[in-house]
Amino acid sequence: EISAPGGFRAKNNFTPEDFLAIYAGNLGIKQGLDLLLDAAELLRTEKNIHIIIAGDGAARESLEKDARSRRLDNVTMLPLQFGQDYQELLVDADVSLITQQSGSGNAFFPSKLLVTLAHKSPVVTVADEESALAKAVRAGQFGINLLPDQPKQLAATFRDLAQNRALLRDWGRAGREYVKRFERES
């Protein structure tokens, strides 16, 4: 059962107009999450674009310190979300972020991708071009993959997507279709 939209936004004081780019999960080194803070810095003047980092892990403390020291009001750090809270987060995300540091892409394929797509959440992935993740995004057409270490490209992508909700809806539907393949193949 997929949650109704609006719950996550209401609990966290975001409006329906706010563009929410949400990373949820392990805050580790191999995720390369500093990129999100670099992009947030470039988006400082965009009042309706918010980057949300929800999770726990080895890099959490340094990310929080870095976001504070840079005074990034457009970054919200939340604890790891579970159950209905996690579902509400996925439903209200304009894009779900899945990031991999350069060189780590063939070592692991993020299991959360299918859960994310099942909730019709479009994705912005950051991964090497030849990674399994980037290949899945190209095959499924449910989002866009960007290369690691390109904060300007990430910021520009968020700006563009905030203005193109129709494309996001198309990606959401494509993601749901992509997941159905796995349901049948299971």
Side-chain angles (χ1 to χ4, degrees), residues 34-87:
D34 292 335
L35 174 71
L36 301 182
L37 301 185
D38 295 340
E41 196 152 2
L42 297 168
L43 293 165
R44 201 184 278 282
T45 59
E46 306 279 339
K47 291 300 168 211
N48 70 324
I49 298 178
H50 302 273
I51 296 173
I52 297 158
I53 301 172
D56 209 355
R60 181 174 178 99
E61 202 175 316
S62 66
L63 285 167
E64 282 181 317
K65 271 189 196 147
D66 196 10
R68 265 198 313 274
S69 70
R70 296 198 218 183
R71 294 187 173 86
L72 297 174
D73 298 334
N74 54 353
V75 173
T76 302
M77 298 285 301
L78 295 174
L80 197 58
Q81 305 289 298
F82 297 99
Q84 188 174 347
D85 292 333
Y86 182 61
Q87 285 190 10

Side-chain angles (χ1 to χ4, degrees), residues 120-138:
K120 289 190 177 174
S121 181
V123 297
V124 171
T125 61
V126 176
D128 293 329
E129 203 56 43
E130 290 310 306
S131 67
L133 181 56
K135 289 175 182 169
V137 173
R138 282 195 299 275

Side-chain angles (χ1 to χ4, degrees), residues 23 25-37 53 55-64 66 98-105 107-108 112 126-128 148-149:
Y23 176 90
N26 182 37
L27 308 183
I29 304 307
K30 67 183 177 185
Q31 282 77 28
L33 295 167
D34 292 335
L35 174 71
L36 301 182
L37 301 185
I53 301 172
D56 209 355
R60 181 174 178 99
E61 202 175 316
S62 66
L63 285 167
E64 282 181 317
D66 196 10
I98 301 177
T99 62
Q100 296 179 340
Q101 209 169 28
S102 187
S104 67
F108 72 105
K112 68 180 171 185
V126 176
D128 293 329
D149 308 316

